[in-house]
Protein backbone atom coordinates (compact mmCIF):
# COMPACT_ATOMS: atom_id res chain seq x y z
CA UNK A 1 0.00 0.00 0.00
CA UNK A 2 1.16 3.50 -0.82
CA UNK A 3 2.09 5.74 2.06
CA UNK A 4 0.44 9.17 1.90
CA UNK A 5 2.65 12.05 3.00
CA UNK A 6 1.08 15.47 3.43
CA UNK A 7 3.78 17.90 2.29
CA UNK A 8 2.86 21.47 1.48
CA UNK A 9 4.92 23.89 -0.66
CA UNK A 10 4.79 26.68 1.93
CA UNK A 11 6.70 24.67 4.51
CA UNK A 12 7.98 21.26 3.31
CA UNK A 13 9.00 19.17 6.32
CA UNK A 14 12.56 17.97 5.98
CA UNK A 15 11.93 14.58 7.60
CA UNK A 16 9.15 13.82 5.08
CA UNK A 17 11.29 14.92 2.12
CA UNK A 18 14.06 12.67 3.46
CA UNK A 19 11.59 9.76 3.51
CA UNK A 20 10.83 10.43 -0.17
CA UNK A 21 14.56 10.48 -0.97
CA UNK A 22 15.10 7.18 0.84
CA UNK A 23 12.25 5.61 -1.15
CA UNK A 24 13.66 6.86 -4.47
CA UNK A 25 17.14 5.61 -3.60
CA UNK A 26 15.75 2.15 -2.81
CA UNK A 27 13.97 1.87 -6.16
CA UNK A 28 10.53 3.07 -5.08
CA UNK A 29 8.00 5.03 -7.11
CA UNK A 30 6.43 8.27 -5.96
CA UNK A 31 3.52 10.48 -6.95
CA UNK A 32 4.33 14.14 -6.49
CA UNK A 33 2.81 17.59 -7.17
CA UNK A 34 4.19 20.06 -9.69
CA UNK A 35 3.34 23.47 -11.11
CA UNK A 36 1.05 21.67 -13.57
CA UNK A 37 -0.43 18.23 -12.83
CA UNK A 38 0.38 15.44 -10.39
CA UNK A 39 3.01 13.08 -11.77
CA UNK A 40 4.69 9.70 -11.26
CA UNK A 41 8.41 9.77 -10.61
CA UNK A 42 11.35 7.49 -9.89
CA UNK A 43 15.15 7.36 -9.71
CA UNK A 44 16.42 7.93 -13.23
CA UNK A 45 19.41 5.62 -12.64
CA UNK A 46 17.38 2.66 -11.30
CA UNK A 47 16.48 0.51 -14.30
CA UNK A 48 14.00 -1.65 -12.35
CA UNK A 49 12.15 1.43 -11.10
CA UNK A 50 12.09 2.77 -14.66
CA UNK A 51 10.63 -0.54 -15.88
CA UNK A 52 7.91 -0.33 -13.20
CA UNK A 53 7.11 3.20 -14.37
CA UNK A 54 6.77 1.94 -17.95
CA UNK A 55 4.53 -0.95 -16.82
CA UNK A 56 2.16 1.49 -15.10
CA UNK A 57 1.93 3.48 -18.33
CA UNK A 58 1.45 0.19 -20.26
CA UNK A 59 4.36 0.86 -22.61
CA UNK A 60 7.75 -0.72 -23.25
CA UNK A 61 10.58 1.13 -21.54
CA UNK A 62 12.52 1.61 -24.78
CA UNK A 63 9.44 3.34 -26.28
CA UNK A 64 8.80 5.53 -23.21
CA UNK A 65 9.33 9.28 -23.41
CA UNK A 66 9.66 10.08 -19.72
CA UNK A 67 10.64 13.65 -18.92
CA UNK A 68 13.66 14.45 -16.80
CA UNK A 69 12.85 16.66 -13.81
CA UNK A 70 15.68 19.00 -12.80
CA UNK A 71 15.79 21.65 -10.08
CA UNK A 72 17.82 24.03 -12.27
CA UNK A 73 19.81 23.97 -15.52
CA UNK A 74 23.07 22.70 -13.99
CA UNK A 75 22.31 19.07 -14.98
CA UNK A 76 21.67 19.86 -18.65
CA UNK A 77 25.14 18.89 -19.89
CA UNK A 78 24.69 15.42 -18.34
CA UNK A 79 21.83 14.66 -20.72
CA UNK A 80 21.99 16.99 -23.72
CA UNK A 81 24.36 17.87 -26.51
CA UNK A 82 26.09 21.26 -26.16
CA UNK A 83 23.51 24.04 -26.28
CA UNK A 84 23.95 27.31 -28.15
CA UNK A 85 24.10 30.43 -25.98
CA UNK A 86 20.86 31.80 -27.45
CA UNK A 87 19.00 28.55 -26.63
CA UNK A 88 20.43 28.49 -23.11
CA UNK A 89 19.29 32.09 -22.57
CA UNK A 90 15.84 31.15 -23.86
CA UNK A 91 15.66 28.22 -21.41
CA UNK A 92 16.87 30.38 -18.54
CA UNK A 93 14.20 33.00 -19.23
CA UNK A 94 11.38 30.41 -19.15
CA UNK A 95 12.51 28.15 -16.30
CA UNK A 96 11.44 27.31 -13.70
CA UNK A 97 8.08 27.12 -15.40
CA UNK A 98 5.27 25.02 -16.85
CA UNK A 99 7.25 23.82 -19.87
CA UNK A 100 8.81 20.60 -21.14
CA UNK A 101 11.67 21.46 -23.49
CA UNK A 102 12.76 18.86 -26.05
CA UNK A 103 16.52 18.95 -26.61
CA UNK A 104 19.03 16.79 -28.45
CA UNK A 105 20.27 13.99 -26.18
CA UNK A 106 23.93 13.11 -25.71
CA UNK A 107 25.42 9.63 -25.51
CA UNK A 108 25.91 9.52 -21.74
CA UNK A 109 22.22 9.16 -20.88
CA UNK A 110 21.13 6.79 -18.09
CA UNK A 111 20.61 3.18 -19.22
CA UNK A 112 16.81 3.51 -19.52
CA UNK A 113 17.25 6.33 -22.07
CA UNK A 114 19.89 4.68 -24.24
CA UNK A 115 19.50 5.32 -27.98
CA UNK A 116 17.13 8.24 -27.39
CA UNK A 117 17.93 11.01 -29.84
CA UNK A 118 16.00 13.64 -27.86
CA UNK A 119 15.12 14.22 -24.22
CA UNK A 120 12.40 16.23 -22.48
CA UNK A 121 13.64 18.51 -19.69
CA UNK A 122 11.39 20.00 -17.00
CA UNK A 123 12.21 22.45 -14.20
CA UNK A 124 8.85 22.82 -12.43
CA UNK A 125 8.06 26.07 -10.67
CA UNK A 126 7.17 24.18 -7.50
CA UNK A 127 9.31 23.83 -4.36
CA UNK A 128 8.55 20.16 -3.69
CA UNK A 129 9.97 18.55 -6.87
CA UNK A 130 12.82 21.08 -6.78
CA UNK A 131 13.65 20.07 -3.21
CA UNK A 132 13.41 16.35 -4.00
CA UNK A 133 15.86 16.65 -6.91
CA UNK A 134 18.20 18.88 -4.91
CA UNK A 135 18.34 16.47 -1.96
CA UNK A 136 18.53 13.37 -4.18
CA UNK A 137 21.52 14.93 -5.95
CA UNK A 138 20.31 14.20 -9.48
CA UNK A 139 17.14 14.49 -11.61
CA UNK A 140 14.20 12.09 -11.52
CA UNK A 141 12.24 10.51 -14.38
CA UNK A 142 8.65 11.64 -14.61
CA UNK A 143 5.34 11.15 -16.40
CA UNK A 144 2.01 12.93 -15.89
CA UNK A 145 -0.92 11.15 -14.26
CA UNK A 146 -3.78 10.93 -16.73
CA UNK A 147 -7.42 10.25 -15.98
CA UNK A 148 -9.77 7.94 -17.90
CA UNK A 149 -12.33 10.76 -17.84
CA UNK A 150 -12.57 12.24 -21.34
CA UNK A 151 -13.54 15.67 -20.05
CA UNK A 152 -11.10 15.97 -17.16
CA UNK A 153 -7.90 14.65 -18.71
CA UNK A 154 -5.70 14.93 -15.61
CA UNK A 155 -6.47 13.88 -12.04
CA UNK A 156 -6.34 16.75 -9.55
CA UNK A 157 -7.41 15.17 -6.23
CA UNK A 158 -4.45 13.52 -4.43
CA UNK A 159 -6.78 11.30 -2.34
CA UNK A 160 -8.41 9.84 -5.46
CA UNK A 161 -4.97 9.46 -7.06
CA UNK A 162 -3.76 7.60 -3.95
CA UNK A 163 -6.74 5.21 -4.16
CA UNK A 164 -6.10 4.47 -7.82
CA UNK A 165 -2.35 3.93 -7.51
CA UNK A 166 -2.39 2.42 -4.01
CA UNK A 167 -0.70 -0.87 -4.98
CA UNK A 168 1.47 0.55 -7.76
CA UNK A 169 3.56 3.18 -6.00
CA UNK A 170 5.30 3.53 -2.64
CA UNK A 171 4.56 7.15 -1.72
CA UNK A 172 1.87 9.65 -2.67
CA UNK A 173 2.70 13.25 -1.74
CA UNK A 174 -0.53 15.03 -0.90
CA UNK A 175 0.03 18.72 -1.51
CA UNK A 176 -3.62 19.67 -1.96
CA UNK A 177 -5.50 19.87 -5.24
CA UNK A 178 -3.32 19.97 -8.34
CA UNK A 179 -3.88 21.68 -11.66
CA UNK A 180 -5.50 19.86 -14.60
CA UNK A 181 -3.49 21.53 -17.36
CA UNK A 182 -0.24 19.84 -18.38
CA UNK A 183 3.02 21.53 -19.33
CA UNK A 184 3.54 23.15 -22.73
CA UNK A 185 5.90 20.98 -24.80
CA UNK A 186 8.41 22.99 -26.83
CA UNK A 187 10.82 21.42 -29.33
CA UNK A 188 14.18 23.22 -29.34
CA UNK A 189 16.15 20.70 -31.41
CA UNK A 190 16.28 23.03 -34.42
CA UNK A 191 17.36 25.99 -32.28
CA UNK A 192 14.01 27.72 -32.81
CA UNK A 193 11.12 27.05 -30.40
CA UNK A 194 8.31 24.96 -31.90
CA UNK A 195 5.25 24.28 -29.74
CA UNK A 196 4.33 20.58 -29.92
CA UNK A 197 1.56 20.78 -27.31
CA UNK A 198 0.07 23.94 -25.87
CA UNK A 199 -0.42 23.56 -22.15
CA UNK A 200 -0.15 25.80 -19.11
CA UNK A 201 3.09 27.54 -20.10
CA UNK A 202 2.78 30.55 -22.41
CA UNK A 203 5.74 31.60 -24.55
Amino acid sequence: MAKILKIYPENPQENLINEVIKTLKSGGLIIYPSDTVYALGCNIFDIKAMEKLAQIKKIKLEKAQFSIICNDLSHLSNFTKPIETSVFRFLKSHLPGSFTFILEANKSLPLAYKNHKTIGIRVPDHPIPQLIVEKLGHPIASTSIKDEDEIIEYSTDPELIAEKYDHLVDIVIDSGYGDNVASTIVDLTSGEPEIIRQGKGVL
Side-chain angles (χ1 to χ4, degrees):
M1 283 179 66
K3 188 169 186 179
I4 299 172
L5 300 180
K6 287 189 182 287
I7 308 176
Y8 297 104
E10 300 79 26
N11 186 25
Q13 290 159 274
E14 195 171 357
N15 62 316
L16 297 182
I17 295 290
N18 287 340
E19 195 172 337
V20 174
I21 303 306
K22 193 175 173 185
T23 298
L24 288 168
K25 284 183 174 176
S26 61
L29 268 62
I30 66 166
I31 288 173
Y32 70 93
S34 75
D35 55 348
T36 55
V37 298
Y38 270 87
L40 287 149
C42 73
N43 184 344
I44 205 165
F45 295 108
D46 190 313
I47 194 73
K48 285 185 179 172
M50 294 289 289
E51 281 168 352
K52 278 194 243 171
L53 199 60
Q55 281 169 6
I56 290 174
K57 298 297 278 190
K58 297 182 172 67
I59 48 174
K60 289 184 176 178
L61 183 55
E62 57 269 24
K63 297 263 174 84
Q65 296 288 335
F66 298 138
S67 299
I68 292 178
I69 304 295
C70 304
N71 64 327
D72 56 33
L73 294 175
S74 63
H75 294 285
L76 269 190
S77 59
N78 296 340
F79 306 107
T80 67
K81 286 185 177 177
I83 294 168
E84 289 178 22
T85 307
S86 59
V87 174
F88 187 79
R89 281 194 191 126
F90 178 82
L91 287 167
K92 211 168 175 186
S93 67
H94 289 86
L95 295 173
S98 307
F99 296 94
T100 301
F101 288 110
I102 309 295
L103 296 159
E104 282 190 272
N106 64 25
K107 290 184 177 171
S108 58
L109 289 172
L111 187 58
Y113 290 87
K114 284 295 173 200
N115 302 320
H116 281 223
K117 298 220 170 3
T118 61
I119 199 81
I121 301 286
R122 279 266 283 132
V123 183
D125 190 11
H126 195 291
I128 291 173
Q130 285 190 17
L131 200 52
I132 289 168
V133 171
E134 185 187 330
K135 281 191 163 285
L136 185 63
H138 60 76
I140 60 172
S142 176
T143 180
S144 301
I145 289 177
K146 286 212 168 193
D147 205 298
E148 275 80 39
D149 191 308
E150 287 178 16
I151 298 166
I152 302 167
E153 195 177 355
Y154 296 96
S155 305
T156 61
D157 186 339
E159 289 185 14
L160 293 177
I161 292 169
E163 276 178 36
K164 183 178 175 181
Y165 290 90
D166 189 37
H167 297 288
L168 298 171
V169 302
D170 301 276
I171 284 177
V172 176
I173 298 173
D174 180 347
S175 192
Y177 277 90
D179 206 334
N180 65 350
V181 182
S183 65
T184 295
I185 300 175
V186 183
D187 189 338
L188 286 174
T189 54
S190 70
E192 290 298 319
E194 181 190 348
I195 295 175
I196 304 296
R197 178 187 73 191
Q198 183 63 57
K200 190 176 176 183
V202 179
L203 287 182

